[in-house]
Amino acid sequence: MTARAPLRLLIVEDSPEDAAMYGHHLRGWDAFEIRTRVEALGEDAMKALSEWAPDALLLDYRLPDMTGLEFLQDAEPDCAVIVLTGVGDEQVAVQAIQLGAQDYLVKGRLTAEQLRQSLDRALNTHLLERELRRSQERTATILGSITDGFLSFGPDGQLEELNSAAAELLGTQLPMPGPPFAWDSSGAFASAMRRAQDSGEFTTAEVPVDSTHRWLHARLYPSDAGLTAYLYDVTDRRQAEQRANRQSEQLQQLYDAAVTLNTVRERQDVLNAALQISRDLLGTDQIVLAVPGDVLGAWQFSGLTDPVSDDLRRLMMAVTPDVTDVVRDGHWTALPLVRATDGTGYAGVLLGVLAILNPGDPLDRDMETLLLTLGQLLSDALTRSALVEADREHREYLEERVQARTAALERSNRELEQFAYVASHDLKEPLRTISSFTQLLQSRYGPQLDERARRYIDITVAGAQRMSTLIEDVLAVSRLNTQPSVPTLSDLNAITANVTAQWEPLIHQTGAQIQVGPLPRLMVDPTQFTQLLQHLIGNALKFRREGTPPRVHLSARPHPDGWQFTVSDNGIGIDPAYFERVFVIFQRLHTRDHYQGNGIGLALCRKIVEGRGGTIWLAGNAQGGTDVHFTVPFQSGDTAP
């Protein structure tokens, strides 16, 4: 069994739970044998850097004594650094990278696979950076220890002398006609010669030499006798700079790609964006993006113009969800796009495959890292797309179910309303017969009947009349849904005056006082609003205290969602336990011996108010009576009093 490489990991985290989570995510990692050290303060962590010399550092952005950025600036750790924070902040991420961090992660979405991949990349990146610094140091040492190339030119600009170092650097020997010189294909050296000769001053230039594949730094010294030049090789530095510039450009392209992929959600838009981003980032159009098709085992290809080749077909068969590295077969290189189903990254879901037709050269480390990072971006985008698609399908399914249930409920309500209307209408006929013949019996044979028989007849007539009233009430409730409501601009002061006039006999009989405040003009159904006020004012008059004249007050005031009306009385009141029950049809709190009615008035009121989108509720008041509140939503055309 291969021994695991040792890894010293310094965790700078003031949250024990988060520090434990990092340890849990890294436990059992086959790649390294990890030793951890945890420090809660930045000052202690700085001491640990010098005492313990860790290979990697997990740094919390917010520490009790400093921020992670301040720590990086002061400590300048010579190890791989990953900054972690509770909330993603692109500006902080950029600053952390600029200060030497290799990655930036958000704790809340952190998985074991993400942490391991990030740590692996950070270690590799830091190693590359260290190698780059060492390479630059070695180059400087070498350049300082060897003899520079030397060139001597006469007054006419012809090369007169060069040493062996210059011959090796330029890949040429005397005689060397020119200028222009064959090795100076860019003309940089000839241009520097003209500047030095014209100005008579020391001049430098960076010269590419195609024949030896070198970059040379030239120092040119003009004199009356001609011109001398000293050359030394700066190829390593230029290549390092080009590589750093290339990596910087790739990082910016990856950032732009992440932003672009974050803005698209639909599956086809994601596929189009992913294909174009891959082509731009890798600098080739020979890229194919394959995703699983509708048929099991089939693939849907984007970017493929020719038939699927045997190499590509074999490559697609070789890619499985447990493959996490780049795969090559023939002329094709494949990057699996996998969504992990657990924290290990294995046995995940294969979202797709990015296939690149390559020239045959093996991938360098930079290109492989670029491909893996791109693959993670594409996997995340395809995962989001799949989740969006699943969410949309679920919402459409739920919407269909809601529509079906709504249609069934509406159909059931219509059938019930029609049944109530027909049943109530048909019940009137036998009631009229019972009432008519009972009254006829009373008028013709009343003198021949004893007192008990006449009382039975009175009870029968009264019951028939109550039944008739009950049927009328049921019809009234049914008509609220079966007859269309036509809102018109109605003066509620006039409607209230008409209602009050209808109750004038009872008002006169009880000595009641009805006070009406200023009411608005609203877009309502005047018939329904009349019914509403008839029941509410009628209840206030009917349920009065013995020996106390009723006092009824109707008011209206603006409400955030419309108008709120209140009908207040000083009657017998209602126990709060029954505030909801009284709105149920046929529910009565008193017997008919005390108060007449069928228990349908408040149910009808609720149906009218809620039919307009309002609400109705009860409350007690200081007079011991009841306040009935209801709201009416605003409508275009409403006018304040």
Side-chain angles (χ1 to χ4, degrees):
M1 181 175 179
T2 304
R4 294 182 296 171
L7 176 66
R8 292 187 301 275
L9 178 65
L10 176 59
I11 301 176
V12 186
E13 174 62 67
D14 62 327
S15 169
E17 293 81 5
D18 289 343
M21 177 185 68
Y22 306 152
H24 175 74
H25 283 346
L26 297 175
R27 191 173 298 119
W29 191 8
D30 295 335
F32 298 98
E33 181 179 348
I34 300 178
R35 294 173 54 200
T36 60
R37 177 171 175 175
V38 180
E39 299 291 349
L41 298 177
E43 191 171 351
D44 295 339
M46 290 185 185
K47 296 179 181 177
L49 281 176
S50 59
E51 296 172 357
W52 200 48
D55 301 306
L57 171 64
L58 298 183
L59 177 61
D60 185 17
Y61 173 65
R62 293 203 177 276
L63 298 172
D65 55 344
M66 64 182 67
T67 68
L69 298 182
E70 292 170 343
F71 179 90
L72 290 175
Q73 192 169 12
D74 295 340
E76 298 181 351
D78 185 20
C79 63
V81 179
I82 299 174
V83 177
L84 298 109
T85 183
V87 180
D89 188 323
E90 294 177 358
Q91 185 176 1
V92 172
V94 172
Q95 292 176 341
I97 298 300
Q98 291 174 344
L99 289 173
Q102 279 72 44
D103 206 350
Y104 178 88
L105 300 176
V106 178
K107 299 179 184 178
R109 301 190 296 267
L110 187 63
T111 65
E113 177 65 14
Q114 290 174 335
L115 181 58
R116 294 178 182 183
Q117 288 184 353
S118 176
L119 187 56
D120 189 45
R121 288 196 300 269
L123 289 168
N124 290 332
T125 302
H126 177 69
L127 179 62
L128 291 175
E129 292 173 350
R130 180 180 293 175
E131 290 177 354
L132 175 60
R133 290 195 300 269
R134 291 175 177 174
S135 175
Q136 292 172 339
E137 294 169 358
R138 285 195 300 268
T139 301
T141 302
I142 293 172
L143 291 176
S145 63
I146 64 173
T147 303
D148 292 347
F150 173 78
L151 302 174
S152 177
F153 296 90
D156 58 356
Q158 295 297 316
L159 179 63
E160 296 178 347
E161 182 181 357
L162 78 164
N163 64 359
S164 59
E168 182 180 353
L169 292 173
L170 299 176
T172 185
Q173 296 286 344
L174 287 174
M176 185 190 301
F181 305 106
W183 50 267
D184 184 25
S185 59
S186 68
F189 188 84
S191 176
M193 284 185 65
R194 287 192 296 271
R195 290 199 308 273
Q197 291 167 342
D198 293 343
S199 65
E201 296 179 353
F202 162 73
T203 303
T204 64
E206 297 267 317
V207 181
V209 181
D210 295 339
S211 59
T212 59
H213 305 290
R214 287 190 174 100
W215 275 89
L216 304 179
H217 179 78
R219 295 169 293 171
L220 294 86
Y221 298 89
S223 66
D224 295 339
L227 182 144
T228 56
Y230 295 89
L231 307 176
Y232 64 92
D233 194 344
V234 293
T235 303
D236 289 343
R237 175 175 63 79
R238 290 299 296 250
Q239 290 178 344
E241 290 174 353
Q242 290 173 352
R243 183 182 179 191
N245 291 335
R246 184 171 64 252
Q247 289 178 340
S248 177
E249 292 175 359
Q250 289 175 348
L251 284 175
Q252 183 61 46
Q253 288 177 312
L254 286 171
Y255 173 78
D256 295 340
V259 172
T260 300
L261 292 172
N262 239 353
T263 60
V264 291
R265 291 292 184 269
E266 297 298 328
R267 177 182 174 85
Q268 192 56 50
D269 294 339
V270 171
L271 294 178
N272 294 339
L275 184 62
Q276 188 58 48
I277 286 171
S278 302
R279 288 175 171 175
D280 294 341
L281 192 60
L282 302 178
T284 176
D285 290 337
Q286 302 299 314
I287 294 178
V288 175
L289 179 59
V291 294
D294 297 332
V295 179
L296 183 64
W299 291 92
Q300 174 188 337
F301 293 93
S302 298
L304 186 64
T305 56
D306 298 327
V308 180
S309 65
D310 293 339
D311 288 347
L312 182 57
R313 198 182 306 278
R314 285 195 308 270
L315 188 70
M316 300 302 296
M317 294 177 63
V319 176
T320 58
D322 58 346
V323 176
T324 57
D325 294 326
V326 175
V327 179
R328 299 195 66 174
D329 191 310
H331 297 292
W332 288 93
T333 297
L335 178 64
L337 308 178
V338 178
R339 180 181 73 214
T341 56
D342 52 27
T344 65
Y346 296 100
V349 177
L350 184 61
L351 301 171
V353 176
L354 187 70
I356 305 103
L357 186 62
N358 53 63
D361 297 332
L363 296 176
D364 60 25
R365 186 64 179 269
D366 289 346
M367 179 57 69
E368 187 169 350
T369 301
L370 177 64
L371 282 176
L372 292 175
T373 306
L374 175 62
Q376 187 60 51
L377 290 178
L378 299 185
S379 298
D380 292 344
L382 290 173
T383 298
R384 286 193 299 271
S385 170
L387 292 175
V388 168
E389 187 171 353
D391 178 66
R392 182 178 62 251
E393 291 176 353
H394 183 61
R395 284 188 284 107
E396 290 174 352
Y397 168 71
L398 292 179
E399 182 65 25
E400 290 175 358
R401 290 192 61 186
V402 169
Q403 291 177 357
R405 290 185 177 181
T406 301
L409 184 59
E410 290 175 350
R411 183 171 60 253
S412 176
N413 286 340
R414 287 195 301 270
E415 292 172 354
L416 287 173
E417 291 162 4
Q418 185 65 21
F419 172 77
Y421 180 81
V422 172
S424 300
H425 184 274
D426 291 347
L427 284 173
K428 283 185 176 182
E429 182 60 31
L431 279 178
R432 282 196 296 268
T433 301
I434 293 172
S435 179
S436 298
F437 276 92
T438 303
Q439 291 174 352
L440 183 61
L441 180 63
Q442 184 180 38
S443 63
R444 288 190 179 183
Y445 302 101
Q448 302 175 27
L449 301 175
D450 58 14
E451 183 63 27
R452 177 178 294 179
R454 286 195 294 273
R455 186 162 62 85
Y456 289 167
I457 290 175
D458 292 339
I459 292 173
T460 303
V461 173
Q465 290 174 346
R466 285 198 304 273
M467 187 65 181
S468 179
T469 303
L470 189 60
I471 291 172
E472 288 294 339
D473 289 341
V474 172
L475 283 174
V477 174
S478 176
R479 291 191 189 101
L480 286 178
N481 291 331
T482 57
Q483 295 181 355
S485 174
V486 182
T488 58
L489 186 60
S490 305
D491 185 351
L492 301 191
N493 293 286
I495 289 178
T496 305
N498 291 335
V499 171
T500 304
Q502 294 175 21
W503 288 110
E504 185 60 36
L506 185 57
I507 294 173
H508 179 74
Q509 174 188 341
T510 60
Q513 293 183 4
I514 298 182
Q515 298 178 340
V516 180
L519 302 179
R521 293 162 57 88
L522 302 182
M523 294 294 294
V524 296
D525 185 329
T527 301
Q528 291 186 1
F529 217 89
T530 298
Q531 288 178 298
L532 175 64
L533 294 181
Q534 275 179 337
H535 285 290
L536 295 181
I537 294 176
N539 283 350
L541 296 173
K542 181 168 59 174
F543 296 101
R544 59 186 179 275
R545 295 178 184 274
E546 189 69 29
T548 302
R551 299 289 183 269
V552 184
H553 185 261
L554 171 61
S555 62
R557 64 182 179 87
H559 185 267
D561 297 324
W563 290 90
Q564 178 175 320
F565 293 83
T566 301
V567 179
S568 180
D569 64 49
N570 64 340
I572 61 175
I574 300 175
D575 188 328
Y578 300 113
F579 278 174
E580 271 302 312
R581 177 181 170 185
V582 295
F583 286 106
V584 180
I585 192 169
F586 300 136
Q587 292 295 316
R588 294 174 51 85
L589 302 182
H590 309 280
T591 64
R592 290 188 180 86
D593 295 339
H594 292 86
Y595 299 99
Q596 295 182 353
N598 294 317
I600 204 169
L602 286 178
L604 188 65
C605 291
R606 168 173 277 185
K607 206 168 185 64
I608 292 173
V609 171
E610 292 182 351
R612 275 189 53 83
T615 56
I616 185 170
W617 69 97
L618 303 181
N621 59 35
Q623 307 172 72
T626 302
D627 290 346
V628 182
H629 305 281
F630 65 92
T631 59
V632 177
F634 286 123
Q635 294 283 345
S636 177
D638 290 351
T639 306

Short mmCIF file of all heavy atoms in Angstrom, two decimals, residues 483-502:
data_model
loop_
_atom_site.label_atom_id
_atom_site.label_comp_id
_atom_site.label_asym_id
_atom_site.label_seq_id
_atom_site.Cartn_x
_atom_site.Cartn_y
_atom_site.Cartn_z
N GLN A 483 -76.30 34.63 -9.15
CA GLN A 483 -76.64 35.86 -9.85
C GLN A 483 -75.40 36.75 -9.91
O GLN A 483 -74.77 37.00 -8.88
CB GLN A 483 -77.78 36.59 -9.15
CG GLN A 483 -79.09 35.80 -9.19
CD GLN A 483 -80.22 36.56 -8.50
OE1 GLN A 483 -80.00 37.61 -7.92
NE2 GLN A 483 -81.41 36.02 -8.58
N PRO A 484 -75.04 37.24 -11.09
CA PRO A 484 -73.84 38.08 -11.19
C PRO A 484 -73.99 39.38 -10.43
O PRO A 484 -75.06 39.97 -10.38
CB PRO A 484 -73.70 38.30 -12.71
CG PRO A 484 -75.09 38.14 -13.25
CD PRO A 484 -75.75 37.09 -12.38
N SER A 485 -72.85 39.80 -9.81
CA SER A 485 -72.82 41.06 -9.09
C SER A 485 -72.26 42.13 -10.01
O SER A 485 -71.19 41.96 -10.60
CB SER A 485 -71.95 40.93 -7.83
OG SER A 485 -71.80 42.17 -7.21
N VAL A 486 -72.99 43.26 -10.16
CA VAL A 486 -72.57 44.34 -11.04
C VAL A 486 -72.24 45.56 -10.18
O VAL A 486 -73.15 46.25 -9.72
CB VAL A 486 -73.67 44.68 -12.07
CG1 VAL A 486 -73.18 45.79 -13.00
CG2 VAL A 486 -74.07 43.44 -12.85
N PRO A 487 -70.94 45.83 -9.90
CA PRO A 487 -70.59 46.99 -9.09
C PRO A 487 -70.92 48.29 -9.82
O PRO A 487 -70.66 48.44 -11.02
CB PRO A 487 -69.09 46.85 -8.88
CG PRO A 487 -68.77 45.44 -9.23
CD PRO A 487 -69.76 45.05 -10.27
N THR A 488 -71.50 49.21 -9.11
CA THR A 488 -71.77 50.56 -9.61
C THR A 488 -71.36 51.54 -8.53
O THR A 488 -71.31 51.20 -7.35
CB THR A 488 -73.24 50.75 -9.98
OG1 THR A 488 -74.05 50.49 -8.82
CG2 THR A 488 -73.67 49.80 -11.09
N LEU A 489 -71.10 52.77 -8.92
CA LEU A 489 -70.74 53.79 -7.95
C LEU A 489 -71.97 54.11 -7.11
O LEU A 489 -72.95 54.68 -7.62
CB LEU A 489 -70.21 55.03 -8.66
CG LEU A 489 -69.66 56.14 -7.75
CD1 LEU A 489 -68.51 55.62 -6.91
CD2 LEU A 489 -69.21 57.34 -8.58
N SER A 490 -71.94 53.75 -5.84
CA SER A 490 -73.12 53.84 -4.98
C SER A 490 -72.83 54.77 -3.81
O SER A 490 -71.75 54.72 -3.20
CB SER A 490 -73.50 52.45 -4.44
OG SER A 490 -73.68 51.55 -5.52
N ASP A 491 -73.84 55.60 -3.50
CA ASP A 491 -73.75 56.50 -2.35
C ASP A 491 -74.19 55.71 -1.12
O ASP A 491 -75.37 55.41 -0.94
CB ASP A 491 -74.65 57.72 -2.56
CG ASP A 491 -74.50 58.75 -1.45
OD1 ASP A 491 -73.84 58.44 -0.44
OD2 ASP A 491 -75.06 59.85 -1.59
N LEU A 492 -73.24 55.36 -0.25
CA LEU A 492 -73.57 54.53 0.91
C LEU A 492 -74.41 55.29 1.93
O LEU A 492 -75.12 54.67 2.73
CB LEU A 492 -72.28 54.01 1.55
CG LEU A 492 -71.37 53.18 0.64
CD1 LEU A 492 -70.28 52.51 1.46
CD2 LEU A 492 -72.17 52.12 -0.11
N ASN A 493 -74.34 56.64 1.92
CA ASN A 493 -75.21 57.41 2.81
C ASN A 493 -76.68 57.21 2.41
O ASN A 493 -77.55 57.02 3.27
CB ASN A 493 -74.85 58.90 2.74
CG ASN A 493 -73.48 59.18 3.32
OD1 ASN A 493 -73.28 59.16 4.52
ND2 ASN A 493 -72.52 59.44 2.43
N ALA A 494 -76.95 57.18 1.08
CA ALA A 494 -78.32 56.98 0.62
C ALA A 494 -78.79 55.56 0.90
O ALA A 494 -79.94 55.34 1.32
CB ALA A 494 -78.41 57.29 -0.88
N ILE A 495 -77.89 54.57 0.69
CA ILE A 495 -78.27 53.18 0.97
C ILE A 495 -78.59 53.01 2.45
O ILE A 495 -79.59 52.37 2.82
CB ILE A 495 -77.12 52.24 0.55
CG1 ILE A 495 -77.01 52.20 -0.98
CG2 ILE A 495 -77.33 50.83 1.10
CD1 ILE A 495 -75.88 51.35 -1.49
N THR A 496 -77.77 53.62 3.32
CA THR A 496 -78.02 53.51 4.77
C THR A 496 -79.34 54.17 5.14
O THR A 496 -80.08 53.67 6.00
CB THR A 496 -76.85 54.15 5.54
OG1 THR A 496 -75.63 53.54 5.12
CG2 THR A 496 -77.02 53.97 7.03
N ALA A 497 -79.65 55.31 4.51
CA ALA A 497 -80.92 55.99 4.80
C ALA A 497 -82.11 55.10 4.42
O ALA A 497 -83.11 55.02 5.15
CB ALA A 497 -80.98 57.32 4.05
N ASN A 498 -82.00 54.39 3.28
CA ASN A 498 -83.09 53.49 2.87
C ASN A 498 -83.24 52.33 3.85
O ASN A 498 -84.36 51.92 4.21
CB ASN A 498 -82.81 52.95 1.46
CG ASN A 498 -82.92 54.03 0.41
OD1 ASN A 498 -83.63 55.03 0.61
ND2 ASN A 498 -82.25 53.86 -0.71
N VAL A 499 -82.12 51.77 4.28
CA VAL A 499 -82.17 50.67 5.24
C VAL A 499 -82.81 51.14 6.55
O VAL A 499 -83.65 50.45 7.16
CB VAL A 499 -80.76 50.11 5.48
CG1 VAL A 499 -80.77 49.11 6.64
CG2 VAL A 499 -80.23 49.45 4.22
N THR A 500 -82.40 52.32 7.02
CA THR A 500 -82.95 52.86 8.27
C THR A 500 -84.46 53.06 8.14
O THR A 500 -85.23 52.79 9.09
CB THR A 500 -82.25 54.18 8.61
OG1 THR A 500 -80.83 53.96 8.68
CG2 THR A 500 -82.73 54.72 9.95
N ALA A 501 -84.88 53.51 6.97
CA ALA A 501 -86.32 53.73 6.77
C ALA A 501 -87.08 52.40 6.84
O ALA A 501 -88.22 52.35 7.35
CB ALA A 501 -86.55 54.41 5.42
N GLN A 502 -86.48 51.31 6.34
CA GLN A 502 -87.15 50.01 6.40
C GLN A 502 -87.32 49.53 7.84
O GLN A 502 -88.27 48.81 8.16
CB GLN A 502 -86.34 48.98 5.60
CG GLN A 502 -86.29 49.27 4.10
CD GLN A 502 -85.39 48.30 3.37
OE1 GLN A 502 -85.10 47.22 3.86
NE2 GLN A 502 -84.94 48.69 2.18
#
